[in-house]
Amino acid sequence: MTDRRRTNAPPGGTTAPVFTSTPTAIETKSSRSRGPNDLRKIFLRTGLVPSASGSSYLELQPSIPQDNMTTFSSRTSSLKLTCTVHGPRPLPRTAPFSPNLLLSTHVKFAPFASKQRRGYLRDSAERDLGVHLETALRGIIIGERFPKSACEVVITVLEGEENAPTAGERKQSLGGVGMMNVLAGCITAASAAIVDAGIDCVDLVSGGVAASTFADDETAEKDISVLDPCPDEHDNLRAACVVGYLQSRDEVTELWMKGDAGADAESLIDRAVEAAVLSRTVLADAVKEGAEAKFGLSSTAGAADAVMTE
């Protein structure tokens, strides 16, 4: 007879699962196949969470296509994250009066987002990303139109860029570039989700990352700057910069630079702005498609009037 109070063993024999070996650190390192001015393909869509006021999903193309994989384990990491916006909603009656919208941002990595399993509580890196994201978004929201109201932006990183140094990296390689890519993706996805929530904004803000690499030839006079650096493609990064950029207003709402840029700091910022301008084209198209799906507008007439993209 079958015991319903516990899970019974299968009637036949079982075979232990066989797992593939994880590639070594040197095997995971790949060279950059795209040009220095080319960005990875970006997938961005809005309105995926019906329970939220606004939502978006962003994904970057992996540096190595999945077709070339020889094992089940991923050789390279990509970026996948979701953003939900809750609000604006009124504050409790006991809360003090606020003439502007109270914005709060939360960035959380899923436990399986990186090869090193993360905890369920937010660590210092996640709190820092939340502060940077709040700084970038405060420059676009028209807060005086929502007095005594609050809005919460929640970012969940499903897969993040790897930052751990490997055996094949050079000693002078710059760490933490993966966090900059995560921040740039959070800025772009949060901007799309805020527009999807119907919150008044002065412009769309997009994130862009640029990095300066050591010249391959030691006799070269200056370094090479690349857009959208991936930690799996570079092991000779010298400095990196991420910006939150408003194209129509020509303003920078967020700036984070790491490394030793030297006298080329201003040119590195300009390169990051170029990356933000390129990612804005995807952001504007995603916002237009979201408006067309929500309001049934035509792509030629209604979308340009309902959503401010320029």
Side-chain angles (χ1 to χ4, degrees), residues 72-130:
F72 290 104
S73 58
S74 176
R75 293 179 56 191
T76 58
S77 59
S78 108
L79 180 62
K80 300 182 181 69
L81 57 90
T82 61
C83 176
T84 56
V85 176
H86 304 278
R89 48 182 141 189
L91 293 175
R93 295 183 178 181
T94 57
F97 177 77
S98 175
N100 297 324
L101 178 69
L102 297 180
L103 177 66
S104 60
T105 57
H106 301 275
V107 179
K108 184 68 183 75
F109 282 78
F112 51 84
S114 58
K115 293 181 180 179
Q116 292 183 351
R117 188 173 181 84
R118 290 179 174 267
Y120 291 96
L121 300 178
R122 290 198 305 165
D123 54 13
S124 60
E126 295 169 339
R127 289 192 293 268
D128 291 343
L129 288 178

Side-chain angles (χ1 to χ4, degrees), residues 16-310:
V18 179
F19 298 95
T20 59
S21 59
T22 305
T24 61
I26 299 178
E27 292 176 354
T28 58
K29 187 62 63 177
S30 60
S31 59
R32 184 183 177 103
S33 58
R34 47 197 170 93
N37 298 329
D38 297 337
L39 272 67
R40 288 173 290 179
K41 294 182 180 180
I42 304 175
F43 176 82
L44 180 61
R45 181 169 294 181
T46 60
L48 298 180
V49 182
S51 60
S53 302
S55 60
S56 63
Y57 173 78
L58 183 140
E59 180 178 345
L60 295 182
Q61 182 187 23
S63 56
I64 296 181
Q66 297 292 335
D67 297 340
N68 297 337
M69 299 291 183
T70 57
T71 62
F72 290 104
S73 58
S74 176
R75 293 179 56 191
T76 58
S77 59
S78 108
L79 180 62
K80 300 182 181 69
L81 57 90
T82 61
C83 176
T84 56
V85 176
H86 304 278
R89 48 182 141 189
L91 293 175
R93 295 183 178 181
T94 57
F97 177 77
S98 175
N100 297 324
L101 178 69
L102 297 180
L103 177 66
S104 60
T105 57
H106 301 275
V107 179
K108 184 68 183 75
F109 282 78
F112 51 84
S114 58
K115 293 181 180 179
Q116 292 183 351
R117 188 173 181 84
R118 290 179 174 267
Y120 291 96
L121 300 178
R122 290 198 305 165
D123 54 13
S124 60
E126 295 169 339
R127 289 192 293 268
D128 291 343
L129 288 178
V131 173
H132 285 291
L133 179 61
E134 182 180 354
T135 304
L137 298 180
R138 282 191 180 277
I140 66 169
I141 296 179
I142 307 177
E144 56 268 17
R145 296 187 180 180
F146 304 94
K148 202 176 180 182
S149 301
C151 179
E152 186 178 8
V153 179
V154 181
I155 298 284
T156 303
V157 181
L158 303 177
E159 184 177 352
E161 300 280 2
E162 293 295 336
N163 295 307
T166 58
E169 293 184 354
R170 300 181 186 178
K171 294 182 180 180
Q172 68 268 28
S173 179
L174 179 67
V177 180
M179 284 295 179
M180 291 187 168
N181 291 331
V182 172
L183 178 60
C186 291
I187 294 174
T188 305
S191 179
I194 288 175
V195 174
D196 185 55
I199 301 176
D200 297 338
C201 301
V202 296
D203 192 11
L204 295 176
V205 57
S206 57
V209 186
S212 176
T213 63
F214 289 99
D216 296 335
D217 188 3
E218 297 181 356
T219 60
E221 296 182 357
K222 65 178 184 177
D223 302 333
I224 303 172
S225 60
V226 295
L227 303 183
D228 188 19
C230 180
D232 294 322
E233 296 178 345
H234 300 279
D235 58 356
N236 57 347
L237 297 178
R238 176 181 180 183
C241 176
V242 57
V243 299
Y245 183 65
L246 309 178
Q247 183 177 5
S248 63
R249 300 171 65 93
D250 193 18
E251 295 179 2
V252 175
T253 60
E254 169 62 22
L255 175 61
W256 180 18
M257 184 176 293
K258 190 172 184 179
D260 183 15
D264 298 333
E266 186 174 353
S267 61
L268 184 60
I269 296 175
D270 293 338
R271 294 285 288 170
V273 169
E274 293 180 14
V277 171
L278 294 176
S279 62
R280 181 195 163 86
T281 58
V282 180
L283 175 60
D285 292 341
V287 169
K288 289 181 180 179
E289 291 179 2
E292 294 172 8
K294 181 179 293 187
F295 303 106
L297 301 175
S298 60
S299 59
T300 57
D305 298 334
V307 182
M308 180 180 60
T309 58
E310 295 294 335

